[in-house]
Tab-separated table of all heavy atoms in Angstrom:
chain	number	residue	atom	x	y	z
A	26	THR	N	215.139	238.363	122.185
A	26	THR	CA	216.422	238.993	122.493
A	26	THR	C	216.537	240.372	121.860
A	26	THR	O	217.198	241.243	122.405
A	26	THR	CB	217.581	238.127	121.977
A	26	THR	OG1	217.304	237.774	120.629
A	26	THR	CG2	217.761	236.888	122.807
A	112	ASP	N	216.534	254.357	114.715
A	112	ASP	CA	217.944	254.052	114.438
A	112	ASP	C	218.320	252.615	114.794
A	112	ASP	O	219.287	252.081	114.285
A	112	ASP	CB	218.852	255.000	115.234
A	112	ASP	CG	218.977	256.329	114.521
A	112	ASP	OD1	218.448	256.400	113.384
A	112	ASP	OD2	219.576	257.244	115.088
A	172	SER	N	211.554	214.278	100.585
A	172	SER	CA	212.119	212.949	100.394
A	172	SER	C	211.068	211.844	100.475
A	172	SER	O	211.364	210.696	100.245
A	172	SER	CB	213.308	212.651	101.322
A	172	SER	OG	212.876	212.236	102.582
A	241	PHE	N	219.889	221.392	95.421
A	241	PHE	CA	218.679	220.584	95.460
A	241	PHE	C	218.998	219.227	94.838
A	241	PHE	O	219.778	219.142	93.901
A	241	PHE	CB	217.598	221.305	94.649
A	241	PHE	CG	216.209	220.786	94.893
A	241	PHE	CD1	215.567	221.045	96.081
A	241	PHE	CD2	215.558	220.029	93.932
A	241	PHE	CE1	214.292	220.575	96.301
A	241	PHE	CE2	214.283	219.546	94.143
A	241	PHE	CZ	213.644	219.823	95.346
A	246	ARG	N	215.747	211.696	88.128
A	246	ARG	CA	215.820	210.252	88.005
A	246	ARG	C	214.776	209.518	88.839
A	246	ARG	O	214.563	208.335	88.655
A	246	ARG	CB	217.219	209.774	88.389
A	246	ARG	CG	217.528	209.995	89.850
A	246	ARG	CD	218.851	209.365	90.170
A	246	ARG	NE	219.926	210.333	90.112
A	246	ARG	CZ	221.200	209.999	90.088
A	246	ARG	NH1	221.549	208.756	90.070
A	246	ARG	NH2	222.123	210.936	90.086
A	362	MET	N	205.877	208.401	97.632
A	362	MET	CA	206.324	207.042	97.922
A	362	MET	C	205.290	206.358	98.815
A	362	MET	O	204.647	207.000	99.634
A	362	MET	CB	207.670	207.076	98.644
A	362	MET	CG	208.833	207.399	97.741
A	362	MET	SD	209.138	206.150	96.482
A	362	MET	CE	210.096	204.957	97.408
A	365	LYS	N	205.335	201.238	103.937
A	365	LYS	CA	205.604	199.806	104.020
A	365	LYS	C	204.889	199.309	105.267
A	365	LYS	O	205.160	199.772	106.361
A	365	LYS	CB	207.109	199.618	104.170
A	365	LYS	CG	207.602	198.265	103.810
A	365	LYS	CD	209.116	198.363	103.769
A	365	LYS	CE	209.744	197.024	103.667
A	365	LYS	NZ	211.197	197.136	103.734
B	21	ALA	N	222.130	241.675	123.490
B	21	ALA	CA	221.259	241.232	122.397
B	21	ALA	C	221.823	241.659	121.053
B	21	ALA	O	221.879	240.879	120.104
B	21	ALA	CB	219.860	241.804	122.581
B	56	LYS	N	226.565	250.811	111.073
B	56	LYS	CA	226.384	251.182	112.478
B	56	LYS	C	227.640	250.952	113.320
B	56	LYS	O	227.911	251.708	114.238
B	56	LYS	CB	225.237	250.378	113.083
B	56	LYS	CG	223.923	250.593	112.373
B	56	LYS	CD	223.238	251.857	112.842
B	56	LYS	CE	221.913	252.012	112.139
B	56	LYS	NZ	221.166	253.169	112.629
B	103	VAL	N	208.361	198.570	111.259
B	103	VAL	CA	208.082	198.031	109.936
B	103	VAL	C	207.141	198.943	109.164
B	103	VAL	O	207.299	199.144	107.976
B	103	VAL	CB	207.507	196.612	110.055
B	103	VAL	CG1	207.222	196.052	108.678
B	103	VAL	CG2	208.493	195.726	110.781
B	105	GLU	N	206.397	202.051	107.755
B	105	GLU	CA	207.171	203.258	107.578
B	105	GLU	C	206.838	203.882	106.243
B	105	GLU	O	206.441	203.222	105.303
B	105	GLU	CB	208.662	202.969	107.675
B	105	GLU	CG	209.112	201.939	106.669
B	105	GLU	CD	210.610	201.676	106.752
B	105	GLU	OE1	211.314	202.527	107.300
B	105	GLU	OE2	211.047	200.658	106.250
B	106	GLN	N	207.058	205.162	106.227
B	106	GLN	CA	206.897	205.880	104.983
B	106	GLN	C	208.190	205.697	104.212
B	106	GLN	O	209.257	206.016	104.710
B	106	GLN	CB	206.633	207.348	105.298
B	106	GLN	CG	206.562	208.241	104.103
B	106	GLN	CD	205.409	207.879	103.191
B	106	GLN	OE1	204.290	207.665	103.647
B	106	GLN	NE2	205.686	207.782	101.900
B	108	GLU	N	211.105	206.333	101.498
B	108	GLU	CA	211.702	207.564	100.996
B	108	GLU	C	212.153	207.377	99.564
B	108	GLU	O	212.330	206.266	99.099
B	108	GLU	CB	212.955	207.882	101.807
B	108	GLU	CG	212.705	208.503	103.136
B	108	GLU	CD	214.021	208.946	103.719
B	108	GLU	OE1	214.873	208.103	103.994
B	108	GLU	OE2	214.194	210.142	103.873
B	109	PHE	N	212.405	208.490	98.890
B	109	PHE	CA	213.088	208.416	97.610
B	109	PHE	C	214.557	208.142	97.926
B	109	PHE	O	215.277	209.035	98.348
B	109	PHE	CB	213.022	209.748	96.859
B	109	PHE	CG	211.639	210.189	96.494
B	109	PHE	CD1	211.144	211.391	96.935
B	109	PHE	CD2	210.842	209.396	95.683
B	109	PHE	CE1	209.881	211.811	96.583
B	109	PHE	CE2	209.572	209.820	95.327
B	109	PHE	CZ	209.091	211.021	95.785
B	116	LYS	N	225.641	214.190	94.637
B	116	LYS	CA	225.524	214.715	93.280
B	116	LYS	C	226.830	214.647	92.503
B	116	LYS	O	226.836	214.441	91.301
B	116	LYS	CB	225.068	216.179	93.341
B	116	LYS	CG	223.644	216.355	92.887
B	116	LYS	CD	223.341	217.824	92.798
B	116	LYS	CE	222.138	218.089	91.952
B	116	LYS	NZ	221.785	219.490	91.929
Side-chain angles (χ1 to χ4, degrees):
Chain A
T26 49
D112 279 354
S172 82
F241 195 72
R246 66 174 96 194
M362 285 295 277
K365 200 169 169 184
Chain B
K56 301 278 182 176
V103 180
E105 57 179 340
Q106 175 63 46
E108 281 189 296
F109 297 121
K116 252 188 162 176

